[in-house]
Amino acid sequence: MTMMSTLALKANTPAVRAELATMGAAYTGYKSDEQLHPEAIDPNLIYIALLVATQEHGEDFTQLLWQLFLDSHNAHERENFLSAMAQSSDPKIAQWLRTKLLSSEIKDNEIFPIMWGQMNRSENRDDMWAWAKDNMPDLLERVAKQRQGQLPSIFDTFCSLEKAADIEQFFDPIIDNLESGPRNLANA
């Protein structure tokens, strides 16, 4: 799995990406019955196949993943769907998924995978950070009290002193009220 992931995501090997996108489509019944087909893929490749298929097939595939996510009661499936959608480099998909962060369709414990996924994509980082700053009171309402202190660590993928200062300045007034917040902010 690691080799396919590296070839697909780091090296952007067209043949590997095409194979994974085909696997993702087969697993989800994309452009056919839109039902899950676990037998169509090695379980170890599901996440990477969904991620590549999301990137390759775009908005139509993402909408299918969203519907499969809503229909699923399996936490592992739901995390795979969300994490794959969150890694989209399409700004329209990324923005749409951010609007879902405060939706009742997302369980409280499913917020972080979306945020981490978006922060893993350089093209989504600034928009994810801006969204978080604009929506922090509502976000704090949704995140369990014992996990609120982890919020600063989501933004540790920025690599500039300017962003570090912005994050520190933003969290400074509230950080002492977040369990483990000061330590997570210092680490971020």
Side-chain angles (χ1 to χ4, degrees), residues 1-2 4-5 20 41-49 76 80:
M1 179 176 125
T2 302
M4 286 192 82
S5 176
L20 286 166
I41 190 170
D42 178 334
N44 296 312
L45 296 175
I46 290 173
Y47 168 69
I48 189 67
H76 187 67
N80 280 337

